[in-house]
Amino acid sequence: MTPPQLVDGQIPLGRWVCTVEEAESTYVTGQPGERQAIWAEWQQLTGALRQLVGEVPACWLSGSFFSAKPDPADIDCVYLVDAVKFQNAAASDPRALALLSAAATGQIKDIYGVRIDSYILQWMPTPGPDPEPEARQYREARGYWDDLWSRIRDADPRLGSIPRRGYLEVIIDGYR
């Protein structure tokens, strides 16, 4: 699926699946301002996370970076990382733990000085339509992020709670 063009300055409502290259060509290449530099920082962080955990299945991207805002300050992302691979990497090396913790909790921007507002959703692959009870926290977090990325801030709290925009699910290494 090709990422959509902006409608009324936003990605149309829904989760739009695409590749890194498709996201870049649609929302970064040829854009004015700092978008290309911010995108390069996101690619660098993505590469570092891939080295630590082995693979990153996907990343959800949203925020003003993917809007008509002329000069966004950062890129908002949630990396989906296999929970077991995340925990193994975090336990293997204190430096890995520091980077993973910062990337998982929205602190990467402050600690490492990059223009990325990142979080990590520890993906728990479970078979069938009725996931295991231990996957409850994952399912709740996934729903939280899906709901958040669909909202647009508004002075009217009710309007701010209604899904009005979309976000990207950028497939990096794929789900296996």
Side-chain angles (χ1 to χ4, degrees), residues 102 105-118:
T105 59
Q107 298 175 356
I108 200 86
K109 185 188 296 186
D110 296 331
I111 294 173
Y112 293 91
V114 293
R115 294 167 289 183
I116 304 166
D117 191 10
S118 74

Side-chain angles (χ1 to χ4, degrees), residues 6-176:
L6 301 180
V7 175
D8 296 327
Q10 302 290 335
I11 294 176
L13 187 60
R15 180 169 37 120
W16 299 88
V17 179
C18 64
T19 66
V20 172
E21 296 78 18
E22 290 169 332
E24 182 174 7
S25 68
T26 303
Y27 304 107
V28 181
T29 303
Q31 296 296 317
E34 291 292 306
R35 273 189 169 82
Q36 291 181 11
I38 294 169
W39 185 256
E41 291 175 11
W42 177 80
Q43 288 181 305
Q44 186 175 20
L45 175 61
T46 301
L49 292 174
R50 289 172 79 194
Q51 284 186 314
L52 293 176
V53 298
E55 62 184 25
V56 173
C59 185
W60 290 355
L61 300 174
S62 187
S64 64
F65 190 90
F66 299 95
S67 75
K69 184 175 182 177
D71 204 17
D74 63 10
I75 189 169
D76 298 337
C77 67
V78 173
Y79 290 99
L80 284 88
V81 176
D82 185 291
V84 171
K85 291 180 180 189
F86 178 92
Q87 292 160 8
N88 289 344
S92 70
D93 176 356
R95 291 174 296 162
L97 175 60
L99 179 63
L100 288 170
S101 294
T105 59
Q107 298 175 356
I108 200 86
K109 185 188 296 186
D110 296 331
I111 294 173
Y112 293 91
V114 293
R115 294 167 289 183
I116 304 166
D117 191 10
S118 74
Y119 296 86
I120 293 178
L121 174 56
Q122 293 186 44
W123 174 52
M124 296 191 71
T126 57
D130 191 21
E132 302 296 323
E134 61 269 12
R136 180 178 178 192
Q137 183 177 354
Y138 159 72
R139 292 190 326 260
E140 288 173 0
R142 185 178 176 100
Y144 166 82
W145 287 112
D146 180 70
D147 183 67
L148 179 70
W149 288 148
S150 299
R151 296 174 180 226
I152 300 172
R153 290 186 190 132
D154 196 280
D156 176 349
R158 176 143 175 88
L159 189 56
S161 71
I162 296 171
R164 296 187 292 157
R165 71 170 174 188
Y167 62 95
L168 303 179
E169 180 170 18
V170 177
I171 304 300
I172 299 171
D173 292 309
Y175 298 95
R176 301 171 221 247

